[in-house]
Every structure is written in C-alpha cells, then in structure tokens.
Amino acid sequence: MALRVSFVPHRIPAFPASQLRSHRVSMASTLHSPSAEVGNVRKPFSPPREVHVQVTHSMPPEKQEIFNSLHDWAEENILVLLKDVEKCWQPSDFLPNPSSPGFHDQVKELRERSMELPEDYFVVLVGDMITEEALPTYQTMINTLDAVRDETGASLTPWAIWTRAWTAEENRHGDLLNKYLYLSGRVDMKQIEKTIQYLIGSGMDPRTENNPYLGFIYTSFQERATFISHGNTARLAKDHGDYKLAQICGTIAADEKRHETAYTKIVEKLFEIDPDDTVLSLADMMRKKISMPAHLMYDGKDDNLFEHFSAVAQRLGVYTAKDYADILEFLVARWEVEKLTGLSSEGRKAQDYVCGLPPRIRRLEERAQARAKKRSAIPFSWIYGGKIMI
Ligand SMILES: [Fe+2]
Ligand SMILES: [Fe+2]
C-alpha cells in the first residue's frame, strides 16, 4: 500500500506534555512546546494539535473504485441495519416525563435509586457519557475517509446515508446518559460540561490516514468496545439495584452491537474482495494500537484524566486490557483471518502477526499488572473532587 507522509507543523499544545504522554497511543513523535503555559498562565484558548506525525491518504486512489462498486451491496447489507426513526427508542422513553403531574415523584425515585450507586461507578458512567457526547468528532473522523465521506452534507451515496443515520442514532446515547446524570444530582455537571467542550475542541487521533480500510477496522473495534462497556455498566447498575439505569445502559449497548454488525460486515466484504490489503490494514491498526475515542479528555484540572478514568473502568471491570485482547480475538475469528489463503508474503506475515497477538497482549498485560505501582486515590472533578482508588 503506497503511503504518503505529510508532516504536521508544530502547533501550540492545548495540554501539558504530561497529559499527552498518558495516552495509549505511542507518543514517540509528540511535539511539545512549553510556550502555552508561560509562568503557569494558560492562554484563554490554545488551539489543539495533532499528536503524531500524520500519514494522509494512504489508500491508493484506484482503490476508491472498490467502494464505488459496493453501493448496491451497501444498500442491501448495511442500510438495512438502520432502524426506522419511528421505531427507535428516544431518551424521553427512559426519563421522567416533564409534562406529567408525577414528574417530581419520578425524579425523586430516580434520585433515590441513584443513591445506591457508589462514586467510582459514577466516574465510569460519566466517562462513558463524555465519550458519547464527543460525537461531532466521530462524524468528522468518518468524513475524513476517502471514497466514503459525505461529500455534500446531504449526499445520497449509501456510505453517506449510513454515516448520517449512524450519527443520529448515536446522538441519543450521550443525550440520554447526560439527562440521567443531570437528574441524579450525584455529579458536578459544570465540570462534566467543561470536559465535553475541551474534548470536542481537541478532536481525536485515530491514525486512520483518510483510509476507509483503516477507518472501518477502527469503527468495528470501537463499536464492540462500547458494546462491552455499556453492557458492563448495565450489569453493575443491576447489581446495585438501579434497574432503570441498567435498562438505559443495556438499551445503548444493543445499539452498539447493531453498529458493530454493520462495520464488521463492511470489513468482512473488504476481506472478500481485497484480502491482502485488508489484513495489512488490520495489522497496521494493531501495531499502532487502537486509541480510545476520548483519549484527549481533559477537565481543566487533571493532566492525566483519561488515564485515571481508564484505571477506574479497569478496576470495576467495565472496560479492561483483557477486553482489548478479547475484541481483537473476536474480530480475527469473525473475519476468519486464520483461514485467508493466496496472500502475498507481506500479507502472510500480517496474518501471523494479528492471529498471534491476543495471547501476546494478555501476557504483556499480566506482566504490567504484576509490576503495577501501589494503588492511589485520585480526585475527580466530576464528583466534586471526591477521591477514587485507581
Ligand atoms: Fe454510542
Ligand atoms: Fe455505536
């Protein structure tokens, strides 16, 4: 696959280097200038910047034809996975009805139920909600992809129709969690809202290179990660007796599962048409590591907020390093990567690499856990500075 490398000019970082170093993605090429914080005075607004030397448009232009030739296929196989708006759930289906006389009692009940949930659970739920609320970034990311982007904002290609409708479905997730958290009274909404604003302003760095092969592998991985994460917050809410919240998280998880089905089907089709480049793309994304969508999270206070949130999610079992390895193993089996034949020697190497990766990730993780430092308590602004063990 021909790669065109373009170098990103140095820009003033929005966040201190310590925060950037905490990201799961490799920071080897992180560019840092201390000029944003002269004498500890942060500029009122410092533009964010890309955190890697970026590769752009790595899919050769002739491959665009593959995606153009799949329009009928996408209509028959992908658009059918969208749900009719009239049949979709809406956030108001799960929340107290503000025009009902029982509204105040319903809010009181919601707040009483939420009192059963521990603070560390709220930290994870807030992090999940913030991740959902940065949806403008994800639609932007998908529209960076060559051959499938929405060229006009109202394009009628099945790729563009999918992306807009997917965004519209996703939009309900952050909306519902946000309203639940607001009504619960358990969290500092102003701090959460600031975090969302910072995060959308920062964007994300998935390293998908405008390349739909890489982009759809990334979204396949992420939809499954969110399916697992919301499924686990549902399970924990149930364990703590908040059945309504369990229903909220479970309903969102079901959407993520349907989205996973769509994106994994697209990649399955790419494996069928172009196995060599698809397995190379999978190996490429795994070497770079799949960065989490909210990896640039910041609340104006904690330079390692994403790392701290992830540590709590790991401790509660909502999303763990083991899940990362399990997702890869699932996708490798789903796409029958082991059974691919007729690959180039590079393709065979990539095949061996991805098929052997899940047990390697698990072993590395076990060693990292064994070396892990002593646990410490970290304050989270989202819960009014309450300290949580990580
Ligand atoms: Fe979502
Ligand atoms: Fe989703």
Side-chain angles (χ1 to χ4, degrees), residues 280-347:
L280 287 171
S281 299
L282 179 58
D284 181 35
M285 283 312 291
M286 296 318 300
R287 278 199 188 92
K288 292 188 287 200
K289 297 196 179 85
I290 303 281
S291 61
M292 294 297 120
H295 67 126
L296 298 177
M297 188 184 271
Y298 184 57
D299 61 351
K301 294 185 177 187
D302 183 353
D303 291 336
N304 295 301
L305 180 59
F306 181 75
E307 193 181 53
H308 292 151
F309 152 63
S310 302
V312 182
Q314 165 96 23
R315 182 169 62 74
L316 265 57
V318 170
Y319 185 74
T320 66
K322 184 183 166 293
D323 290 322
Y324 186 94
D326 290 350
I327 293 171
L328 176 60
E329 194 167 65
F330 170 87
L331 293 175
V332 165
R334 165 76 182 79
W335 294 323
E336 302 189 325
V337 179
E338 263 176 272
K339 293 187 195 157
L340 294 174
T341 53
L343 297 173
S344 66
S345 71
E346 261 194 310

Side-chain angles (χ1 to χ4, degrees), residues 47-66:
R49 52 150 196 180
E50 288 93 338
V51 292
H52 287 100
V53 173
Q54 298 286 339
V55 179
T56 57
H57 303 287
S58 61
M59 182 177 75
E62 61 273 18
K63 294 235 170 186
Q64 297 217 6
E65 201 36 55
I66 290 179

Side-chain angles (χ1 to χ4, degrees), residues 90-111:
Q90 297 300 335
S92 56
D93 298 335
F94 299 93
L95 294 163
N97 178 358
S99 50
S100 128
F103 177 68
H104 291 101
D105 288 339
Q106 291 165 24
V107 172
K108 199 166 158 254
E109 269 173 44
L110 183 154
R111 292 167 76 98

Side-chain angles (χ1 to χ4, degrees), residues 132 170 173 223 226 230 252 256:
E132 293 286 349
E170 286 285 343
H173 300 174
E223 291 291 357
T226 49
H230 291 305
I252 295 172
E256 311 296 17

